[in-house]
Amino acid sequence: MDSVSYDTRDPRPTTTRSSRHGGRVRALATEAVHAGREDLAGQGLHAAPIDLSTTYPSYDSRGEAARIDAFATDGAEPQGPPVYGRLGNPTVARFETALARLEGTESAVAFASGMAALSAVLLVRNALGLRHVVAVRPLYGCSDHLLTAGLLGSEVTWVDPAGIADALRPDTGLVMVESPANPTLAELDLRAVAHACGSVPLLADNTFATPVLQRPVEQGARLVLHSATKYLGGHGDVMAGVVACDEEFAGRLRQVRFATGGVLHPLAGYLLLRGLSTLPVRVRAASSNAAELARRLTADPRVARVAYPRVGGAMIAFEVHGDPHAVIAGVRLITPAVSLGSVDSLIQHPASISHRVVDPADRRDAGVSDRLLRLSVGLEDVDDLWADLDGALGAPATRG
């Protein structure tokens, strides 16, 4: 049985250092609880308020015009009271502040979904005439499709990591990677990739790892993409996307968000801010479960191959000798569904669902076989999860 090696070390998110406050660097776990909320006590509040307003009164139309002109120039968040929901929302801004703090960036800009966030990045670069993208497979299936189909006028060159530098052109506006990758969990040396990009911005999809396990900007990425629907929300009840980046790029993203309307609803912003407060604890606990399930799957004769990232995490990819669709149909505790990163465990067959839009040959070349299953491990008892998997895998195959 072939197996991809994995590292089960405890990522210890509570000791990971984040931003500096009052001369002391706070741990990531502390920032997860407090970032974006520092002003609440001074207002006599404990929980962050939800501002559902779409518009705001203003008796100074000249001043408001000046603030809108300033936003049109560089996309900086308007100073003073809010103007209109499409320009920005105070509740969403709290989440953006907190996520930027966790990723170690100057800013973050939230969108209605992860795909809306990626689309905004592409539109920012396209507006500068930089329509060419260099990308490494595998990516999330819809990201792959968006690039391959050229739906936003972009052109993509798919390469292995070693071919990034040679694929760059004068009109290359972006290099995109995902590590650990969806769904194979393949990992890249982000520092080496960033070096190969030269002056071209590197966009790293950090959805699977989260800032608890890695911070791509520390390895040279300029942009960090999250489908916030997954681990950042963590409960399967909010859809969102976010890009963590420097303030210059954030300004351009805000302008695109304002023009295209891909805004995040304030209630989603509130749920995401709440989700971040437990992110380190959830990732640590789910990672412990996943590491143990990876061990058991690796030793199981019904399983052909197991992939579990060296960086850790709560995702497992495994190929079965038998029918993967029978496994999907056989689970009872684990939910057979798309998406990932929830407190409950989810399993899906990428070739049928998340990566169905990718050309079959490209899918196979990227390691997404027809027997591959992707398991998002949640917070249930690990023995209960294993009992469910064991039953769904069925009797061991007879070898001739």
Side-chain angles (χ1 to χ4, degrees), residues 198-351:
S199 62
V200 177
L202 170 62
L203 170 65
D205 189 327
N206 202 32
T207 298
F208 276 20
T210 80
V212 175
L213 300 179
Q214 72 178 8
R215 295 166 121 198
V217 293
E218 294 177 352
Q219 301 177 60
R222 184 178 176 189
L223 310 167
V224 181
L225 174 69
H226 284 273
S227 172
T229 307
K230 295 9 182 228
Y231 289 102
L232 303 189
H235 293 76
D237 56 7
V238 59
M239 182 170 289
V242 63
V243 180
C245 55
D246 57 68
E247 175 56 26
E248 179 186 357
F249 206 101
R252 302 307 176 197
L253 288 173
R254 293 187 198 104
Q255 290 175 326
V256 168
R257 183 177 63 181
F258 174 70
T260 60
V263 297
L264 184 65
H265 192 275
L267 180 58
Y270 170 84
L271 291 172
L272 288 167
L273 183 68
R274 188 175 69 171
L276 288 185
S277 65
T278 60
L279 178 66
V281 177
R282 287 187 285 104
V283 169
R284 183 176 181 179
S287 296
S288 177
N289 277 350
E292 175 59 25
L293 290 178
R295 287 193 198 95
R296 298 186 189 188
L297 288 166
T298 299
D300 196 298
R302 297 166 294 182
V303 177
R305 188 177 71 89
V306 176
Y308 183 72
R310 290 184 299 275
V311 75
M315 299 299 299
I316 304 172
F318 63 100
E319 295 181 5
V320 294
H321 289 296
D323 182 4
H325 300 286
V327 179
I328 295 292
V331 293
R332 294 295 178 265
L333 176 64
I334 300 167
T335 301
V338 297
S339 200
L340 55 107
S342 182
V343 292
D344 61 316
S345 298
L346 307 173
I347 192 169
Q348 65 115 336
H349 182 243

Side-chain angles (χ1 to χ4, degrees), residues 5-6 19 39 46 51 53 79 135 145 161 167 221 240 313 320 328 366 390 393:
S5 63
Y6 54 86
S19 58
D39 65 322
H46 183 240
D51 187 333
S53 296
Q79 298 300 307
H145 178 65
V320 294
I328 295 292
D390 184 41
L393 285 167

Side-chain angles (χ1 to χ4, degrees), residues 34-67:
H34 291 279
R37 305 168 178 85
E38 290 89 347
D39 65 322
L40 294 181
Q43 299 183 51
L45 299 173
H46 183 240
I50 307 174
D51 187 333
L52 295 173
S53 296
T54 58
T55 192
Y56 300 85
S58 173
Y59 296 94
D60 180 10
S61 56
R62 290 187 181 89
E64 191 157 287
R67 291 196 293 143

Side-chain angles (χ1 to χ4, degrees), residues 78-390:
Q79 298 300 307
V83 178
Y84 184 57
R86 194 150 42 84
L87 267 170
N89 172 271
T91 306
V92 172
R94 290 182 183 277
F95 162 65
E96 293 171 329
T97 296
L99 192 277
R101 204 79 68 70
L102 295 183
E103 282 289 4
T105 59
E106 291 179 333
S107 303
V109 183
F111 294 86
S113 70
M115 292 308 301
L118 175 57
S119 296
V121 171
L122 294 174
L123 289 172
V124 166
R125 302 308 279 166
N126 288 357
L128 298 174
L130 303 172
R131 298 179 177 274
H132 181 239
V133 178
V134 175
V136 177
R137 282 190 171 114
L139 298 176
Y140 168 54
C142 287
S143 299
D144 188 309
H145 178 65
L146 180 65
L147 295 175
T148 301
L151 297 177
L152 297 178
S154 57
E155 175 190 350
V156 63
T157 299
W158 295 101
V159 298
D160 293 327
I164 290 174
D166 290 339
L168 300 179
R169 306 185 328 204
D171 64 337
T172 302
L174 194 69
V175 175
M176 182 172 181
V177 301
E178 184 174 357
S179 180
N182 186 351
T184 66
L185 304 180
E187 297 177 273
L188 299 175
D189 182 340
L190 291 178
R191 195 175 302 278
V193 169
H195 179 74
C197 293
S199 62
V200 177
L202 170 62
L203 170 65
D205 189 327
N206 202 32
T207 298
F208 276 20
T210 80
V212 175
L213 300 179
Q214 72 178 8
R215 295 166 121 198
V217 293
E218 294 177 352
Q219 301 177 60
R222 184 178 176 189
L223 310 167
V224 181
L225 174 69
H226 284 273
S227 172
T229 307
K230 295 9 182 228
Y231 289 102
L232 303 189
H235 293 76
D237 56 7
V238 59
M239 182 170 289
V242 63
V243 180
C245 55
D246 57 68
E247 175 56 26
E248 179 186 357
F249 206 101
R252 302 307 176 197
L253 288 173
R254 293 187 198 104
Q255 290 175 326
V256 168
R257 183 177 63 181
F258 174 70
T260 60
V263 297
L264 184 65
H265 192 275
L267 180 58
Y270 170 84
L271 291 172
L272 288 167
L273 183 68
R274 188 175 69 171
L276 288 185
S277 65
T278 60
L279 178 66
V281 177
R282 287 187 285 104
V283 169
R284 183 176 181 179
S287 296
S288 177
N289 277 350
E292 175 59 25
L293 290 178
R295 287 193 198 95
R296 298 186 189 188
L297 288 166
T298 299
D300 196 298
R302 297 166 294 182
V303 177
R305 188 177 71 89
V306 176
Y308 183 72
R310 290 184 299 275
V311 75
M315 299 299 299
I316 304 172
F318 63 100
E319 295 181 5
V320 294
H321 289 296
D323 182 4
H325 300 286
V327 179
I328 295 292
V331 293
R332 294 295 178 265
L333 176 64
I334 300 167
T335 301
V338 297
S339 200
L340 55 107
S342 182
V343 292
D344 61 316
S345 298
L346 307 173
I347 192 169
Q348 65 115 336
H349 182 243
S352 294
I353 306 179
S354 64
H355 287 69
R356 192 67 180 176
V357 293
V358 180
D359 179 83
D362 292 333
R363 201 165 60 218
R364 288 189 291 270
D365 288 345
V368 186
S369 77
D370 290 341
R371 293 187 181 275
L372 183 73
L373 293 167
R374 190 191 74 187
L375 176 63
S376 172
V377 182
L379 303 181
E380 302 93 340
D381 182 87
V382 70
D383 289 328
D384 289 335
L385 291 172
W386 176 249
D388 196 37
L389 277 176
D390 184 41

